[in-house]
Amino acid sequence: MDIHSHSEPNRVRVTHVSLDLVLDFEAREARGTAELSLERLDPNAPLVLDARGLLVENVMGSGGGPRDFALGEEDEQLGSALTIALEPLDRSVLIGYRTSARSDAMQWLAPEQTADGEGPFLFTQGQSIFTRTWIPLQDTPGVRVTYDAAVHAPEGLTAVMSAEPLEREDDGAFRFRMEQPVPPYLIALACGRIEFRAISSRCGVWAEPSVVAGARDELSDTEAMIASAEALFGPYRWERYDLIILPPAFPFGGMENPRLTFATPTILAGDKSLVALVAHELAHSWSGNLVTNATWSDFWLNEGFTVYLEGRIMERVFGKERAEMEQVLALHGLEKEMAELEPRDQVLHGDLAGRHPDGGFSVVPYQKGALLLRRLEQVFGREAFDRFLTRYFDEHAFQSITTADFEAYLRSELLERSPALAAQVDVRRWIHEPGLPEDAPRPSSSLLAKVDTELARWRAGAAPEELETRGWVTQQWQHFLQGLPETLTAEQMAALDRSFHFTASKNSEVLTDWLTLAIRHGYSAADARLEEFLLDVGRRKFLKPLYTELAKTEDGLRRARAIYERARPRYHAVATGTLDKILKWEA
Ligand code: BES
Ligand code: ZN
């Protein structure tokens, strides 16, 4: 069972969610009803749901009349159990409720936080356990639901969801339905002044008017990615694949909401150099959305598989060299982060007892997970491993599975069929022990090796302008910045900036690497850019290293807190949760 949910789906199980919600941007609340269809496995059991930050007003049973309900004591991490007494004839319940300022899934943005500044914006973020803050339901990835929704939005705003859009009716509400069962964390809604541009007949992008044309160009390879993924891992089962570019406050790079990936505008670098994120979120259409982690301890089944698939898609669409560079950078990131983690957080099958699922968040499930799959590919051969994966997705489609389920399937379908090969990988150790096994594949990249050569020349005294950097791509610049020595003088920083214009970089990854160095080495010419970036961008992956670096000195911490005071109201709860700790902020 799932330790992060109060629900008892083995007694009464929710099978379908039907929403009817009014979005009130002035009050910053959604209000209306959620009708939950039920499977009554134990006819005497009550319905137990998860809820947090919700004001439940009334509950009606389909058997007729109101039903008693009680909100249990609030757990700091999980929220409350909402227990509803059922009558024998109840096959569904209708819950009247409203969200509150404590509904962490919902981020309401003021017009000035959007690209165009002309209207407010709302988006939801369900993963990992935030859906319960805007919809009362059984918020565990082990319980899949179909859903439909009617969303009433103010004039001029468009609502989109992780579902099929239906015709608008006379009441003007936006209507949606998702007929494939999905885990609750994939129910998602966004609403703002947005427009759509097609990329292909089954794929396109939503964004604010000033962003949408550029976004379409940047993401024009998405159709090729879908076709590649299908060739590798079997049919795409969600009909359409669209993206929405959200305002910069979005706390993640991307979120794989079915049919509609939510993405940060910081991937729009202008040269398609950061579109691996699209390959990643698209890959979740197989690993994550089709075959889902049953609990958050099995998160690596979602992310490790997805990073592996992402690499395969990138290789097919952009070539081996691009994929290799990204893998080398990722491995360095893993090694760096793993060195700082306590042993229990270095294990693929996560130990989350007593913790919020996001408390154990790191690159380990992503990169160590992907390395295990690359190791299996290496040992069993690409052809056999691809066949295994395609069948894995097929046979577990629309199911939620545990790590133990995967281990059993791997054993019977791959390991036991070739014992001699199986002896070359200690799968149990990979999944259940800390650290990185010695047989982890070591990617290498000739394009990054060139960077190492230039770094060595620079260290030996060559001036920045003497380095051979012509034609370098984003990943090479990242490798360059990450490979600079631990100590740099402000002079050296200034010389690098004069030659390579890092402070002016429009590339969010390069800029974050550079600004981290600027803080560390006291390069104050980048201060204004740093402040501007921290005030504009809400992506946790960038905020975390920058604030962490600032917090290392007393003076830096003071600066960080001054910026944070202004920026915090614009950040998502997911980001402030992490940053409050780094900056010792009392909310
Ligand atoms: N599903 C994740 C985002 C997520 C993870 C949200 C855990 C909440 C809890 C998404 O697919 C993801 O991994 N996004 C990454 C980008 C990716 C290219 C590694 C991100 O947002 O940085
Ligand atoms: Zn992911």
Side-chain angles (χ1 to χ4, degrees), residues 3-39:
I3 60 169
H4 294 108
S5 172
H6 292 291
S7 67
E8 298 171 0
N10 293 337
R11 301 171 78 196
V12 182
R13 181 176 281 252
V14 175
T15 57
H16 181 84
V17 178
S18 182
L19 297 172
D20 190 331
L21 292 175
V22 174
L23 304 181
D24 183 339
F25 282 81
E26 261 103 70
R28 294 194 159 189
E29 72 172 29
R31 57 177 172 267
T33 54
E35 184 179 1
L36 309 181
S37 307
L38 308 174
E39 192 180 345

Side-chain angles (χ1 to χ4, degrees), residues 62-93:
S62 63
R67 296 290 172 263
D68 286 339
F69 64 93
L71 261 187
E73 204 186 311
E74 181 163 336
D75 178 281
E76 197 189 313
Q77 272 143 39
L78 308 183
S80 303
L82 170 60
T83 304
I84 298 171
L86 299 174
E87 294 289 336
L89 290 179
D90 289 342
R91 290 293 167 268
S92 69
V93 291

Side-chain angles (χ1 to χ4, degrees), residues 127 254-256 277 280-281 284 287 299 302-304 306-307 310 361 366:
Q127 200 179 11
M255 179 63 216
E256 66 270 26
L277 182 131
H280 179 97
E281 305 311 338
H284 274 305
S287 44
F299 182 59
N302 277 16
E303 297 299 343
T306 294
V307 171
E310 168 196 339
F361 186 84
Y366 288 77

